[in-house]
Amino acid sequence: MSGLLAINDELINNLNFITMRIGNIVLVFILLFGFSSCIKEDIVNDEIEENIRINNSFSNFIIGNEVVLDAFFFDNLGIKQTVVFNLASNNSPIIEVDNANKKITAKSKGTATITVSTTYQNKLVEKSVAITVNDVGSTPTAIVKKGTLVKTSSYASAGDFEITEISGGIRISFASNYVADSTLPGFAMFLSNNPNTMVGAKKIDAQGDADGVVYKGAFTMDIMGVGINDYGYLTHWCEPFKIKVGEAEIKTK
């Protein structure tokens, strides 16, 4: 009889072990199934092309106007680096440049292209911009940036926005077509200079914030301590799994 009891105890222990193992497998399956679309869209390479960002606005450039080049250089990880820029014009009678002092001067009516370049780690990087010079100008306008979110995964991410300067920071105004995915596990929004990583980016909204996340429709965000030229991208992420689900390049309007 004692031998039979021992066999029953062993069977019960084995059943308990099997039940526990099945429970763990089911739990893992649920976790993987729930986040599978997020995991499958992982980004392996977070490098980008080195780039130069010209911050000067030439939307109202008239004869006699003179500005000093304001530009940033970002390496292939989106990190700002200090470099020496070279400045050139393809039409000096219209746009004259003083490379030594990085000065740009409007000389006569017409259109010319300036090119800003630098050599970084033995690689030449250039950025050109066409400038139209007018003989009569209007009242200077404030710098306005814009962008359009495009989804980079199966999760929803879309909408237009504008960025303007405010005292001590910037204001991001999202249009009525803005959409973020409320089903995304761990939604977060960032300003960044490298759209392929959250490293070095500035988080500006996320699930769990005290003010709550807006997932649809027009709204504004004031971001203090940020300059209008500090970042080149706005991105949406599945933060726990480090998966980008939407991005927008920030451009001068």
Side-chain angles (χ1 to χ4, degrees):
M1 186 72 171
S2 61
L4 185 60
L5 289 174
I7 292 172
N8 286 338
D9 288 341
E10 184 177 354
L11 285 173
I12 291 171
N13 289 334
N14 287 338
L15 285 172
N16 287 337
F17 175 76
I18 292 170
T19 301
M20 184 169 56
R21 289 294 300 273
I22 292 174
N24 289 338
I25 292 171
V26 170
L27 179 60
V28 170
F29 176 78
I30 291 172
L31 289 173
L32 289 176
F33 180 79
F35 299 128
S36 62
S37 60
C38 199
I39 294 171
K40 284 188 294 184
E41 289 151 358
D42 197 1
I43 293 171
V44 176
N45 185 5
D46 62 1
E47 292 189 357
I48 60 173
E49 285 292 321
E50 297 89 344
N51 67 92
I52 295 169
R53 184 185 307 155
I54 300 174
N55 300 319
N56 302 93
S57 174
F58 300 102
S59 61
N60 185 37
F61 217 47
I62 63 173
I63 297 172
N65 279 173
E66 184 178 273
V67 297
V68 174
L69 176 68
D70 179 11
F72 297 152
F73 174 82
F74 297 94
D75 65 17
N76 63 354
L77 294 177
I79 300 172
K80 189 190 299 182
Q81 302 288 353
T82 300
V83 298
V84 176
F85 289 118
N86 290 310
L87 183 60
S89 168
N90 74 336
N91 198 335
S92 295
I94 295 175
I95 295 287
E96 182 181 79
V97 299
D98 175 356
N99 188 48
N101 296 300
K102 304 299 180 281
K103 191 180 297 182
I104 305 163
T105 304
K107 302 297 289 185
S108 62
K109 186 176 179 179
T111 300
T113 298
I114 63 167
T115 299
V116 181
S117 63
T118 190
T119 299
Y120 184 76
Q121 295 183 347
N122 298 319
K123 182 178 180 179
L124 177 65
V125 183
E126 297 180 322
K127 177 66 176 289
S128 296
V129 58
I131 303 172
T132 297
V133 178
N134 298 304
D135 52 7
V136 177
S138 57
T139 303
T141 56
I143 296 175
V144 179
K145 303 258 180 168
K146 66 176 182 177
T148 299
L149 276 161
V150 177
K151 71 176 185 178
T152 58
S153 74
S154 59
Y155 290 97
S157 179
D160 302 314
F161 61 88
E162 289 189 352
I163 303 178
T164 55
E165 291 181 292
I166 59 175
S167 178
I170 60 172
R171 174 166 294 160
I172 307 176
S173 301
F174 293 93
S176 59
N177 63 350
Y178 174 81
V179 176
D181 202 316
S182 60
T183 68
L184 184 69
F187 167 84
M189 180 158 55
F190 292 82
L191 290 170
S192 174
N193 286 309
N194 182 346
N196 295 331
T197 179
M198 292 183 289
V199 177
K202 182 177 181 64
K203 186 192 295 185
I204 59 174
D205 202 12
Q207 287 175 352
D209 284 357
D211 57 353
V213 174
V214 177
Y215 289 105
K216 187 175 182 180
F219 72 104
T220 61
M221 300 176 66
D222 290 349
I223 315 298
M224 307 311 294
V226 172
I228 198 165
N229 296 314
D230 287 354
Y231 295 99
Y233 296 90
L234 186 145
T235 54
H236 284 175
W237 286 80
C238 168
E239 190 173 14
F241 291 93
K242 297 180 175 61
I243 310 302
K244 183 181 66 175
V245 299
E247 74 170 61
E249 184 178 0
I250 299 171
K251 302 178 180 180
T252 300
K253 185 175 179 180

